Amino acid sequence: MKTNRLKNKILLTLVSVILGVATIVTLYNIIHDKGQNDLRMEEAYQNVRLNYEESIYETVHFYTARAHSNLNSPGVMDAILSRDHDRLYQLILPRWKVISNENSSLVVMQFHNADGTSLLRMHQPDVFGDPIALQRPMVAYIHKHHTLVYGFEEGRQGLALRILVPILNQGTYVGAVEFGLSTPFIIDKIHRHTGYDAFFLVKEKILGTFSHVDRYLAVGEYRAIDVDPELVPLVKLYQSKYDRLQDTIIKYKNQTFAITTVAVNNYLNQPIGAIIFVHAAPDFWEHVLQMVTATGLIALIMMGILGWMISRLYDSISTQMNFQQMYNQTILDAIPSPVIVTDGHQLVAANQTFLAYFHYESVLDFKRDHACVCDYFEEGDTHDYLMPMLNEQRWTDYVSDHPLIDHKVKITIDHKTTIFDVKLSVLRFQEEKRYVVIFTDISSMQSISMTDPLTGIANRLHFTMVYEHAINVAFREKRPLGVIFFDIDYFKHINDKYGHLAGDKVLKHISQVVSKRLRKSDIFARWGGEEFVALLPDTSFEESYQIAETLRQTIEAENFEIAGKITCSFGVAMLEENESADMLLKRADELLYEAKASGRNRVIRQELRETH
């Protein structure tokens, strides 16, 4: 009887625990998933907005370039200045055919005179000379301010994204070029990027040429245009639920749709309407119902079988866990170097060599005094030495993200300083992550084979070893990769005038100056003599150029004691598609010698060389 009562008590406790845990887990998952769902919706909105803004920017940039290309064509500016409509039409017609064929949404290309009249409409060449600035605020605006202007505005061709580029003749404003693209162009462009359906809404009070149309759907103070017929029922449902625009979720025909709104502005950045984006979204509450149902079924099954399994499994699992722990610890203790396992924040396990080095009996004893082994890290004389935080990353994450760098730590115990080489491996299981870190004592065997003995930076061998790998990573992950070659101007003169010891000091001094201004992820090496090379992973063309220019200015401003002021010449090249490692170095080297040949103390990049 007592046994049955105890059994029932255990089962009742087990049932209570399972139900309690199931309830807590379910509530936690609902709250967590709700937060994740909200985050996904917010990210989707931000993605839509970003794609919209990028589409507008790319379109404006593209047609601004088209405008300048047309204006720079032979005879075009003379025709504009003389207001020769027919001559200008004949000159622009071949280009108009090309750009209108490449984009069917281009409905307007127009040249405006500075006095507010229309000089030429490529889409309506027979209509010109009218005072269009009186009817089109954007045209009046550019005539007044003489600057690039763009935005959505209505005209004879309806609502369009209009881009007006000023025409300047030797600094004097003489008119403007206008391009107009119909709204489906923006919608189609965003659809290609995001897969979302969309349509435009325009405020009723500024409908203009659309004011007489009564078939457009009303949503509050807006009227919908260019609506896909398949979306009309969904828009009507949205219209019936809301009297103003807002982001929301709508369920229609057993499918959930996310509605996202992005404001559409005119040339003065004033809202004149919006774009509604529609995309399928998972039904969160249906997900909750499924999760609660699944959790309930699991809880019932667990209550049915766990009572029978608990006693047998407990003994079996306990035995296996104890054996696994002993096995793992035995493997760790067999390694002669200090080894730890950490979750990135605190110690999880360590071998006996580690504990003996720090004079602790167990991991628990160590954790009572220190949350992390990084408490012992000391600053070194180079950037290779790890600190608890580097570039706003914990040291474990930093080592994991920078496998090409040789990482070291400096630790002092009992007044004895030891330099350790740090190797790290990452173990992942589901959402859990563990770092296995091996500290190898290199105090008495610092290798010099990878270091330039004079300057202390990487030598050519070291650079060559990481260079091929960096190129493979750049190609595989489609990331930019920059290379900077530079050498010291008139270095032979320094050696001849002040001696080779002074020259060596200059080399070391420059190495220190440059090392301090490069990132830890960059590879800086002495190529030979007075020539240096820097490898810049994940660095854009403009960033690479700016880094080189900063180095040039810094060296020029530095005082080199005996030698005084020194300058350097730089060549900057970027890895191109399917380019070999040797070819990239060759191009950078050629740019360096071009810098020297064109006067020294300058940065030559490929862009400048190709445009001259």
Side-chain angles (χ1 to χ4, degrees):
M1 182 67 67
K2 290 182 179 181
T3 302
N4 289 335
R5 283 201 297 268
L6 179 60
K7 179 180 178 181
N8 292 336
K9 187 176 181 179
I10 293 174
L11 290 175
L12 181 60
T13 302
L14 181 62
V15 168
S16 300
V17 170
I18 292 175
L19 290 177
V21 170
T23 301
I24 293 172
V25 169
T26 301
L27 289 175
Y28 170 82
N29 286 334
I30 291 174
I31 295 172
H32 177 268
D33 289 354
K34 182 65 168 63
Q36 293 296 311
N37 185 70
D38 292 343
L39 180 61
R40 285 193 296 270
M41 296 304 298
E42 180 62 21
E43 289 176 346
Y45 171 76
Q46 294 298 336
N47 183 50
V48 166
R49 186 178 185 85
L50 181 61
N51 272 282
Y52 168 75
E53 293 174 350
E54 288 181 348
S55 296
I56 297 296
Y57 173 80
E58 291 173 359
T59 302
V60 171
H61 182 76
F62 178 83
Y63 282 100
T64 300
R66 279 284 192 267
H68 290 306
S69 175
N70 279 273
L71 293 174
N72 291 330
S73 296
V76 170
M77 184 59 72
D78 292 336
I80 293 173
L81 293 175
S82 62
R83 299 193 177 186
D84 188 341
H85 169 276
D86 295 338
R87 176 60 177 162
L88 182 59
Y89 177 75
Q90 293 301 322
L91 291 171
I92 297 298
L93 182 60
R95 291 175 172 269
W96 164 249
K97 291 180 179 180
V98 172
I99 61 177
S100 59
N101 285 335
E102 72 183 3
N103 186 354
S104 59
S105 295
L106 181 64
V107 294
V108 171
M109 182 180 181
Q110 186 168 188
F111 291 81
H112 301 277
N113 291 317
D115 63 2
T117 60
S118 173
L119 174 59
L120 170 63
R121 291 180 174 90
M122 293 305 301
H123 53 286
Q124 291 179 314
D126 296 329
V127 181
F128 62 97
D130 54 303
I132 187 171
L134 297 178
Q135 303 171 353
R136 294 276 309 287
M138 285 182 70
V139 179
Y141 182 92
I142 194 171
H143 287 336
K144 180 179 180 180
H145 297 281
H146 306 167
T147 186
L148 173 70
V149 59
Y150 63 90
F152 286 90
E153 187 180 69
E154 286 192 81
R156 295 180 179 180
Q157 304 301 316
L159 182 68
L161 172 62
R162 299 180 183 273
I163 305 159
L164 280 80
V165 182
I167 303 174
L168 301 175
N169 180 42
Q170 297 180 350
T172 301
Y173 179 78
V174 297
V177 183
E178 177 183 358
F179 294 94
L181 296 106
S182 60
T183 54
F185 171 75
I186 300 298
I187 290 174
D188 293 340
K189 190 177 183 69
I190 296 176
H191 180 77
R192 291 195 300 271
H193 289 171
T194 65
Y196 296 168
D197 295 318
F199 58 90
F200 272 77
L201 294 171
V202 180
K203 286 188 176 181
E204 184 178 14
K205 63 182 181 181
I206 60 169
L207 279 175
T209 56
F210 292 128
S211 59
H212 65 284
V213 181
D214 58 4
R215 70 174 184 275
Y216 295 107
L217 297 172
V219 181
E221 62 174 329
Y222 296 88
R223 294 295 179 269
I225 61 176
D226 298 325
V227 183
D228 189 316
E230 293 183 1
L231 295 179
V232 170
L234 187 63
V235 177
K236 289 183 176 179
L237 180 61
Y238 180 82
Q239 173 191 32
S240 67
K241 288 179 174 290
Y242 305 99
D243 57 0
R244 61 185 180 87
L245 297 185
Q246 58 182 286
D247 299 336
T248 187
I249 300 292
I250 290 183
K251 194 165 186 178
Y252 176 72
K253 289 186 177 180
N254 298 321
Q255 175 65 55
T256 302
F257 296 91
I259 307 295
T260 304
T261 63
V262 175
V264 171
N265 297 331
N266 64 7
Y267 68 102
L268 295 176
N269 207 29
Q270 298 169 337
I272 62 169
I275 301 182
I276 297 292
F277 295 90
V278 181
H279 57 99
D283 189 332
F284 174 74
W285 294 112
E286 183 177 341
H287 165 70
V288 169
L289 178 61
Q290 293 174 352
M291 182 170 57
V292 171
T293 302
T295 303
L297 290 174
I298 292 172
L300 289 174
I301 294 173
M302 289 179 64
M303 287 185 289
I305 64 176
L306 206 57
W308 176 75
M309 296 178 59
I310 192 69
S311 60
R312 299 181 61 182
L313 286 177
Y314 177 81
D315 293 339
S316 176
I317 292 173
S318 296
T319 301
Q320 292 178 19
M321 290 180 63
N322 290 335
F323 177 78
Q324 188 65 43
Q325 290 177 354
M326 292 173 58
Y327 177 78
N328 293 341
Q329 190 63 47
T330 300
I331 293 176
L332 291 178
D333 291 341
I335 301 174
S337 298
V339 182
I340 65 168
V341 180
T342 175
D343 62 2
H345 297 275
Q346 62 180 348
L347 206 61
V348 175
N351 67 354
Q352 288 300 316
T353 305
F354 175 89
L355 295 173
Y357 176 75
F358 288 100
H359 307 308
Y360 283 98
E361 292 292 329
S362 67
V363 171
L364 290 176
D365 292 338
F366 183 89
K367 291 169 68 174
R368 289 191 188 100
D369 297 332
H370 303 280
C372 176
V373 67
C374 59
D375 293 346
Y376 286 95
F377 292 177
E378 303 173 13
E379 291 187 356
D381 53 358
T382 69
H383 294 290
D384 297 334
Y385 289 88
L386 297 174
M387 296 303 292
M389 298 293 295
L390 296 100
N391 295 346
E392 299 182 354
Q393 284 185 294
R394 292 191 64 83
W395 68 278
T396 45
D397 292 325
Y398 180 82
V399 174
S400 177
D401 291 346
H402 299 83
L404 300 180
I405 300 177
D406 292 329
H407 303 284
K408 297 184 290 187
V409 296
K410 182 180 180 181
I411 297 176
T412 301
I413 300 293
D414 295 336
H415 306 292
K416 180 182 178 182
T417 299
T418 305
I419 306 299
F420 291 98
D421 174 70
V422 179
K423 300 299 182 187
L424 179 145
S425 298
V426 183
L427 303 176
R428 291 183 175 87
F429 179 73
Q430 296 180 353
E431 296 183 359
E432 294 294 324
K433 184 162 59 175
R434 295 289 184 268
Y435 302 93
V436 179
V437 187
I438 301 178
F439 298 89
T440 303
D441 184 357
I442 60 172
S443 301
S444 59
M445 54 176 184
Q446 286 283 352
S447 173
I448 62 171
S449 61
M450 306 297 282
T451 303
D452 179 60
L454 175 62
T455 62
I457 62 174
N459 60 16
R460 186 167 180 169
L461 173 62
H462 188 177
F463 180 88
T464 304
M465 291 180 65
V466 301
Y467 177 59
E468 289 282 356
H469 178 73
I471 286 183
N472 292 335
V473 171
F475 281 143
R476 183 175 65 252
E477 301 184 4
K478 297 182 179 179
R479 294 182 176 182
L481 180 68
V483 170
I484 298 175
F485 259 116
F486 73 93
D487 74 358
I488 304 170
D489 296 333
Y490 304 110
F491 185 70
K492 183 177 184 300
H493 175 71
I494 295 173
N495 281 332
D496 293 343
K497 184 175 181 179
Y498 301 107
H500 288 278
L501 291 179
D504 289 347
K505 288 183 179 180
V506 169
L507 292 172
K508 289 189 284 187
H509 195 157
I510 284 183
S511 298
Q512 294 169 358
V513 169
V514 173
S515 295
K516 290 179 180 178
R517 283 159 179 79
L518 291 177
R519 302 162 300 184
K520 286 184 175 293
S521 58
D522 301 331
I523 305 300
F524 177 45
R526 184 181 178 192
W527 190 250
E530 70 272 25
E531 193 169 16
F532 297 85
V533 61
L535 184 65
L536 311 177
D538 202 16
T539 306
S540 69
F541 176 74
E542 189 60 33
E543 289 172 333
S544 299
Y545 172 74
Q546 289 299 330
I547 289 171
E549 180 61 27
T550 298
L551 293 177
R552 185 196 68 77
Q553 295 176 10
T554 301
I555 293 171
E556 184 180 20
E558 190 78 8
N559 185 0
F560 288 86
E561 298 179 356
I562 296 176
K565 295 296 183 179
I566 289 176
T567 62
C568 290
S569 300
F570 293 75
V572 181
M574 298 297 296
L575 180 64
E576 297 180 348
E577 186 176 358
N578 299 323
E579 185 175 34
S580 68
D582 290 340
M583 183 57 68
L584 174 57
L585 291 179
K586 181 181 178 182
R587 287 196 299 108
D589 193 48
E590 290 173 349
L591 291 168
L592 164 60
Y593 280 95
E594 186 174 335
K596 296 177 72 67
S598 59
R600 294 181 170 83
N601 189 26
R602 63 193 60 205
V603 179
I604 296 294
R605 52 181 176 175
Q606 182 180 1
E607 179 186 56
L608 295 178
R609 186 183 65 174
E610 290 181 345
T611 57
H612 281 74

